[in-house]
Amino acid sequence: MTSAGLHLRPFRGLRYAQDRVRSLAAVTSPPYDVVVRPDGVHELETADPYNIVRLILPQTPDPTARHRQAADTLRDWQRAGVLTRDGTPALYAYEQRRGDVLQRGLIGALRLDGPVLPHEDVVPEIVADRAALMREAAANFEPLLLTYRGDDGAEGGRSGPTAGSVLERATAREPLLATTTEDGFAHRLWAVTDPAELAAVTADPSRHDALIADGHHRWATYLQLRAEHPGDPGWAHGLVLLVDSARHPLQVRAIHRVLPRLAPADALARLGGAFRGRTVAGPLPRALDALDAAPGNAFLLSSGPGDFHLLDSPDPALLARTVRADRPEAWRRLDATVLHSTLLDTVWRVPDLPSDISYLHSAESAVDQARRLGGTAVLLRPVTEETVRGLATRGVTMPRKSTSFGPKPATGLVIRTLDG
């Protein structure tokens, strides 16, 4: 059953004792699905023996023991005083800042029967893995990133504090913690514990729904675990970062594909008139400008720096045959839809398997990986939040890995355990 609006609950956060670690930056990490490469895991593990990656992506010779090891590590770190629990239940005001980018939101335990809109499908195997980890550890290590639309940032004539004003007041105080991570983002966290402020913070989102910006697999995991533990209030909530995008619009970036088993020459040779293919000048930023300027569906192929080919002007008859007709026009026009339905499935016949398609958030990384593997990077353009929300509101999911909302919250600043 779905309740009206979004309901955040305070919790007693588990946080790193700053005198027990080299630095907060050394123990945090990006979300687990960004740190998927073994070399990325190793880099974080060696940054500090207490890096959070040992909990979110535990490494063991026996894969079946990974999640039990994470649960044991969590308990060991608490007993050793590396992780300590806040004394008072709180919602946590969280700020990320880099240059002109400023994002503020609220971290709390969200009741899972609220109106939360997914916009992408999930992989059952990943959900099973995340569920096994959370089940063993009885903890939420990473907040989902959810966005809701407040009243255009206005107070709406209401008397007393609102979520926005509470955030502004909280961020003017001395933070619980502050750190700057390797990507240049400065992170600050405050505890909101005053009853009047908590009431205001929970009242505003209760009039809205939320869009999942990042964390579809974790959301599906929360729902699975709630179903496994009916009536248990701990499993009836999940850790989220809730951002009012009317005040703090999120950035929406594309997620690119690398096809390690398809060389660019083969990709171009197999087009057969399905798309127009032409060479465009580099370097990468210039080639991406050409992609942005292309009308209709378009993609940028690359085998490495200095090698770029623009695909555009798809054959309308081919699109009509390959793209599902039972979806809204906005979905049918998505570049990701056309890429998977027409190019990958029909023209190139690339299997939808991890061995054949990699997903990367950085265009530079995708081009470099294509160069190293002798494959093809397929670079895409971002879609707007309005497009994503419009489809999600209609219950229509986008192709997997269609969007990358950000900035994403750092993992490790605050943990929620079910006994907290």
Side-chain angles (χ1 to χ4, degrees):
M1 181 176 178
T2 300
S3 67
L6 306 165
H7 298 276
L8 277 179
R9 189 180 78 172
F11 68 102
R12 294 173 60 219
L14 195 64
R15 297 188 294 110
Y16 280 101
Q18 297 187 49
D19 60 347
R20 297 298 307 275
V21 298
R22 183 163 64 84
S23 71
L24 286 175
V27 295
T28 59
S29 86
Y32 80 95
D33 55 342
V34 179
V35 193
V36 290
R37 305 185 324 275
D39 56 333
V41 174
H42 177 72
E43 180 180 339
L44 290 168
E45 283 185 329
T46 56
D48 189 283
Y50 299 117
N51 189 282
I52 192 73
V53 76
R54 295 180 186 274
L55 300 181
I56 63 172
L57 289 171
Q59 304 295 302
T60 59
D62 178 7
T64 63
R66 292 186 302 113
H67 304 119
R68 169 52 54 188
Q69 175 176 289
D72 291 342
T73 301
L74 175 64
R75 284 190 289 270
D76 290 344
W77 289 359
Q78 290 182 80
R79 281 194 293 264
V82 175
L83 292 171
T84 61
R85 192 177 306 282
D86 288 335
T88 304
L91 295 177
Y92 295 88
Y94 177 46
E95 176 186 279
Q96 296 161 272
R97 185 190 293 267
R98 185 179 67 184
D100 295 334
V101 177
L102 172 64
Q103 179 170 286
R104 287 173 175 165
L106 295 159
I107 295 176
L110 182 75
R111 204 166 78 195
L112 301 180
D113 61 353
V116 174
L117 306 173
H119 68 269
E120 290 184 0
D121 292 329
V122 296
V123 180
E125 292 80 6
I126 297 177
V127 174
D129 176 74
R130 292 295 95 185
L133 175 63
M134 292 187 203
R135 195 183 295 115
E136 284 282 0
N140 302 149
F141 294 121
E142 306 183 77
L144 278 71
L145 176 58
L146 302 183
T147 173
Y148 76 103
R149 283 294 180 87
D151 301 320
D152 296 324
E155 305 300 340
R158 295 174 56 208
S159 61
T162 64
S165 64
V166 168
L167 267 176
E168 293 300 318
R169 273 205 296 273
T171 55
R173 300 194 291 258
E174 188 71 18
L176 291 174
L177 62 85
T179 190
T180 300
T181 46
E182 192 177 65
D183 57 7
F185 270 100
H187 306 262
R188 297 196 296 170
L189 191 77
W190 298 261
V192 177
T193 59
D194 178 83
E197 291 188 335
L198 287 174
V201 163
T202 55
D204 281 359
S206 69
R207 300 193 301 273
H208 301 281
D209 58 20
L211 176 73
I212 299 177
D214 186 67
H216 282 82
H217 288 92
R218 280 165 280 165
W219 177 254
T221 299
Y222 288 170
L223 298 183
Q224 177 177 319
L225 293 173
R226 181 189 64 170
E228 292 176 7
H229 303 84
D232 186 325
W235 294 111
H237 294 76
L239 186 65
V240 305
L241 166 61
L242 188 60
V243 175
D244 179 355
S245 60
R247 289 178 175 272
H248 298 286
L250 275 67
Q251 299 174 321
V252 188
R253 302 186 186 280
I255 300 178
H256 310 289
R257 278 66 169 158
V258 173
L259 315 177
R261 299 183 178 182
L262 180 66
D266 291 337
L268 293 169
R270 294 184 196 178
L271 288 178
F275 280 75
R276 178 178 64 173
R278 52 195 171 97
T279 301
V280 294
L284 179 58
R286 182 177 178 183
L288 288 172
D289 286 342
L291 174 63
D292 288 339
N297 297 116
F299 310 94
L300 187 66
L301 307 189
S302 176
S303 63
D307 177 52
F308 301 103
H309 305 273
L310 182 67
L311 304 190
D312 61 4
S313 302
D315 176 6
L318 179 62
L319 294 184
R321 292 198 308 272
T322 56
V323 177
R324 291 177 56 170
D326 61 345
R327 295 292 181 93
E329 184 65 20
W331 183 90
R332 292 171 54 81
R333 292 198 306 265
L334 291 171
D335 285 344
T337 296
V338 172
L339 172 61
H340 284 267
S341 299
T342 305
L343 273 173
L344 294 177
D345 292 352
T346 305
V347 176
W348 292 333
R349 298 188 181 278
V350 175
D352 188 10
L353 298 170
S355 58
D356 292 87
I357 306 176
S358 298
Y359 298 89
L360 287 91
H361 292 74
S362 162
E364 292 82 359
S365 297
V367 170
D368 181 65
Q369 186 176 106
R371 176 192 59 78
R372 289 188 290 104
L373 300 178
T376 300
V378 184
L379 308 183
L380 287 80
R381 301 172 292 195
V383 298
T384 65
E385 182 179 344
E386 288 71 23
T387 297
V388 176
R389 180 174 284 275
L391 289 170
T393 301
R394 300 172 69 176
V396 178
T397 56
M398 300 171 68
R400 188 165 68 251
K401 299 294 185 182
S402 294
T403 60
S404 176
F405 283 84
K408 303 179 192 304
T411 298
L413 297 181
V414 61
I415 296 168
R416 172 183 176 253
T417 60
L418 269 67
D419 58 2

